[in-house]
Amino acid sequence: MDGPESGAVASVTPPAITRFWEVDSWRGVAIITMVIFHLMFDLRNFGGVPVVLHEGFWFYFQRFTATSFIALSGVSVVLSYNRALFKQGSADGLAWKIARRGLHILGIGLIFSLVMRVAGLPPIDFGVLHLIGTSIICSIPFLRNRWLTLAVAGLLYALSYLLKFMNLQAPAGVSWLVPLGIEPPGYYYSDYFPFPHWFAVFLIGVFVGSVFYAGGTRRLSLPNLGAFFPFPALQFLGRHSLVIYVIHQPILIGLLLLTGTITLG
């Protein structure tokens, strides 16, 4: 295990501030791009708008959004760990505290899965909330060893492309392998983040957090732009990203239905 000078936490250095404007602002940007992408998704699926989302501009737009959210979740778990460690003075109980946060997000993801199945909509077997919740729990052993974090991220990233190259398929109707990126034939989904690839992205976020925010303080020089437009608005969105994620699709679909832009059924 790395020592305090090289790991995610330097317990002798108190956190200077509890939040960082650049982290919340980046997450706010990702929230905006997520809403835009899901608007296009709804227009295509329910309004018949002929837009291609799985390649070209919209594919990379979605990848930017997803990579931002997941990497920032990795950064945030390091920041949360550092703040809690400084507040209580020891690591006792912190693993369980982080695990509870992961279980909370995973639980919301499971509720989404149930709602989608009951509604007869394309399934969410392992969506972004499942991925983030599971990743938070699985990241606990890596929070104080940045180089192990980076090494495991690299291995998982390579494994994800090996699985893709091998083109493995699960038996028809078998969904429990889906989180590993092994899909049954004809598998269709509305939200899917295979664990090996995207946990690697999450761990890269943990690595970034352990390098640039070691000990809960910013380790790089940035001008303080947090009070200047549009950063306060972006920070507000970033601080409430989970709530916005949960409610934005019902609001979007409701507005599109009210305006007659789309029809369901």
Side-chain angles (χ1 to χ4, degrees):
M1 179 177 293
D2 290 349
E5 71 280 0
S6 60
V9 177
S11 59
V12 296
T13 306
I17 52 178
T18 58
R19 303 199 70 95
F20 298 95
W21 69 266
E22 68 276 13
V23 174
D24 285 335
S25 296
W26 183 9
R27 190 181 289 106
V29 170
I31 277 286
I32 293 171
T33 58
M34 175 199 68
V35 172
I36 292 171
F37 183 83
H38 284 167
L39 174 62
M40 299 308 299
F41 178 89
D42 295 337
L43 290 173
R44 185 198 68 176
N45 281 25
F46 306 120
V49 175
V51 57
V52 178
L53 300 179
H54 63 273
E55 62 184 20
F57 171 80
W58 288 110
F59 172 80
Y60 292 105
F61 190 88
Q62 188 272 345
R63 281 299 170 115
F64 163 80
T65 302
T67 300
S68 295
F69 264 123
I70 293 167
L72 282 169
S73 296
V75 173
S76 295
V77 76
V78 174
L79 296 179
S80 297
Y81 183 85
N82 286 337
R83 284 195 294 265
L85 180 60
F86 175 71
K87 182 177 181 179
Q88 70 180 46
S90 74
D92 295 341
L94 290 190
W96 174 233
K97 181 177 181 179
I98 293 170
R100 284 203 309 270
R101 174 64 174 170
L103 289 169
H104 173 71
I105 296 174
L106 178 59
I108 296 173
L110 292 173
I111 292 171
F112 264 68
S113 297
L114 179 61
V115 170
M116 295 293 282
R117 289 191 178 276
V118 170
L121 296 172
I124 301 178
D125 293 314
F126 202 75
V128 67
L129 293 181
H130 303 77
L131 181 278
I132 291 176
T134 305
S135 294
I136 290 173
I137 296 168
C138 293
S139 71
I140 293 170
F142 301 100
L143 294 178
R144 297 196 67 179
N145 195 323
R146 64 173 65 156
W147 298 115
L148 176 62
T149 300
L150 189 61
V152 172
L155 289 173
L156 286 172
Y157 201 76
L159 175 62
S160 70
Y161 280 96
L162 176 62
L163 291 172
K164 186 176 181 180
F165 174 77
M166 294 173 64
N167 196 28
L168 297 177
Q169 284 193 327
V174 174
S175 60
W176 64 269
L177 290 172
V178 165
L180 300 178
I182 303 175
E183 309 161 27
Y187 181 67
Y188 183 70
Y189 49 85
S190 58
D191 186 23
Y192 182 37
F193 288 82
F195 185 76
H197 177 89
W198 291 104
F199 185 47
V201 174
F202 185 95
L203 287 180
I204 290 171
V206 172
F207 177 78
V208 169
S210 70
V211 172
F212 294 105
Y213 298 95
T217 59
R218 186 190 292 118
R219 301 296 178 169
L220 69 167
S221 178
L222 283 179
N224 186 7
L225 303 178
F228 297 96
F229 179 85
F231 295 110
L234 292 175
Q235 290 171 77
F236 176 84
L237 295 175
R239 288 194 297 269
H240 298 88
S241 58
L242 181 59
V243 173
I244 295 171
Y245 181 88
V246 169
I247 68 174
H248 81 284
Q249 270 289 47
I251 291 175
L252 279 180
I253 292 175
L255 290 174
L256 292 173
L257 287 170
L258 285 173
T259 58
T261 307
I262 65 171
T263 57
L264 300 179

